[in-house]
């Protein structure tokens, strides 16, 4: 069974981390998924042709607020061209209001929440010829080790993404993260070891952006990672989303000693 994981990024500098998490989960179970990536500036007909040429049995669409319109349009046309293919939607833009897609029968399945285990189970069921429910709810899965990027499956650009934690310690009413409970994080040692994997990639990348919702939720952990990044082995610029009120005196001491440009902080 051929599986395509499709990411529609916002710009040329972006890559899809979610599809790489899903690829790793599927490969552990013996599948060989193909990643197709495009961005909003690509010609729509060329993107559709790329997807059609794969002639896959299953297409997984990674949906966000910035690409949902394009994803719906592409999926509808692709389903008409490949009526026997199974179309699966997942991601934050389809996880919380699934009833808005009720009349869109070209979407065969919707995975809500974390997708690794749910997608594997769904593909196994499809492989057996079963007809799973249209709406499936994912469950928390261990985060994969490593950086999930491979030479040859990303374009040389300014930025790649890295995940050192999942979940959020807060329950802000305006944020989709408030529906999740708890937080899981990689250790300081694992995080630093994995960041060195970016140094071994063939194509030069300038910025490593942490997708953690609040990187410094554990201020001691954050300070230890920042302090270690002063090591000359870490040559990239590292971007973090943080909560300013959690910074302590050690945070300012550590950050002040880092080389200029080594760390970017997005505060909000």
């Amino acid at each position: 069974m051929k599986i395509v994981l499709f990411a529609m990024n916002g710009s040329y500098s972006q890559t899809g981390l979610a599809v790489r998490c899903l690829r790793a989960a599927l490969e552990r179970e013996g599948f060989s998924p193909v990643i197709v990536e495009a961005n909003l500036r690509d010609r729509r007909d060329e993107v559709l042709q790329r997807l059609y040429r794969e002639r896959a049995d299953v297409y997984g669409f990674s949906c966000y607020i910035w690409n949902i319109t394009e994803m719906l349009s592409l999926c509808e046309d692709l389903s008409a061209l490949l009526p026997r293919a199974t179309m699966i939607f997942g991601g934050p833009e389809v996880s919380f209001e699934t009833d808005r897609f009720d009349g869109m029968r070209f979407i065969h399945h919707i995975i809500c929440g974390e997708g690794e285990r749910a997608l594997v189970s769904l593909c196994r069921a499809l492989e057996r010829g079963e007809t799973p429910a249209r709406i499936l709810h994912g469950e928390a899965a261990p985060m994969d080790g490593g950086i999930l990027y491979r030479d040859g499956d990303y374009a040389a650009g300014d930025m790649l993404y890295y995940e050192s934690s999942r979940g959020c310690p807060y329950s802000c009413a305006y944020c989709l993260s408030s529906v999740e409970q708890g937080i899981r994080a990689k250790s300081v040692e694992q995080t630093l070891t994995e960041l060195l994997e970016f140094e071994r990639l063939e194509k030069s990348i300038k910025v490593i952006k942490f997708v953690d919702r609040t990187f410094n939720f554990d201020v001691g952990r954050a300070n230890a990672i920042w302090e270690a990044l002063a090591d000359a082995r870490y040559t990239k610029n590292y971007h973090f989303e943080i909560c300013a009120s959690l910074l302590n005196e050690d945070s300012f001491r550590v950050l002040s000693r880092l080389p200029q440009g080594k760390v970017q902080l997005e505060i909000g």
Side-chain angles (χ1 to χ4, degrees), residues 219-224 226-227 246-258:
V219 66
R221 173 181 178 272
N223 291 342
W226 285 334
E227 189 162 28
L246 297 178
L247 295 170
N248 59 19
E249 290 302 317
D250 280 342
S251 303
F252 291 113
R253 174 186 59 80
V254 168
L255 290 169
S256 67
R257 293 179 179 177
L258 286 170

Side-chain angles (χ1 to χ4, degrees), residues 5-8 16 18-19 22 60-64 67 71 88-92:
L5 303 173
F6 177 49
M8 172 69 79
V19 291
L22 296 170
F61 294 76
S62 182
C63 301
Y64 295 84
N67 69 19
M71 289 299 208
I88 304 170
F89 270 37

Side-chain angles (χ1 to χ4, degrees), residues 5 9 12 24 30 64 79 117 145 186-187 191 243 246 258:
L5 303 173
N9 304 312
Y12 289 105
Y64 295 84
S79 184
R117 289 177 172 171
K186 297 176 181 178
S187 68
T191 299
C243 176
L246 297 178
L258 286 170

Side-chain angles (χ1 to χ4, degrees), residues 16-160:
L17 183 59
V19 291
R20 288 168 170 84
C21 292
L22 296 170
R23 176 178 64 181
L26 287 166
E27 287 181 340
R28 283 195 299 271
E29 297 300 318
F31 295 102
S32 300
V34 174
I35 289 177
V36 173
E37 284 189 278
N39 70 77
L40 294 176
R41 296 184 181 181
D42 289 335
R43 290 172 57 90
R44 181 188 179 281
D45 58 341
E46 293 178 356
V47 176
L48 182 59
Q49 288 173 20
R50 287 177 59 194
L51 292 168
Y52 175 71
R53 283 197 298 268
E54 294 292 338
R55 303 290 208 285
D57 303 292
V58 174
Y59 288 86
F61 294 76
S62 182
C63 301
Y64 295 84
I65 190 170
W66 67 80
N67 69 19
I68 185 62
T69 299
E70 289 76 14
M71 289 299 208
L72 290 170
S73 175
L74 286 165
C75 182
E76 185 172 17
D77 286 353
L78 186 62
S79 184
L81 292 169
L82 298 171
R84 295 186 179 181
T86 299
M87 306 296 171
I88 304 170
F89 270 37
E93 196 58 19
V94 300
S95 289
F96 304 103
E97 294 180 351
T98 58
D99 55 347
R100 63 191 266 218
F101 305 104
D102 284 349
M104 302 178 185
R105 304 319 300 175
F106 54 87
I107 304 174
H108 301 115
H109 302 283
I110 296 174
I111 295 177
C112 304
E114 295 185 40
E116 287 96 335
R117 289 177 172 171
L119 182 58
V120 167
S121 296
L122 175 54
C123 288
R124 283 281 181 234
L126 293 172
E127 198 174 42
R128 293 191 296 265
E130 300 173 4
T131 304
R134 185 169 188 250
I135 308 299
L136 300 105
H137 295 274
E139 57 181 292
M143 287 180 290
D144 282 292
I147 61 174
L148 302 178
Y149 288 94
R150 302 169 185 171
D151 286 317
D153 77 348
Y154 65 94
D158 293 334
M159 185 185 302
L160 292 182

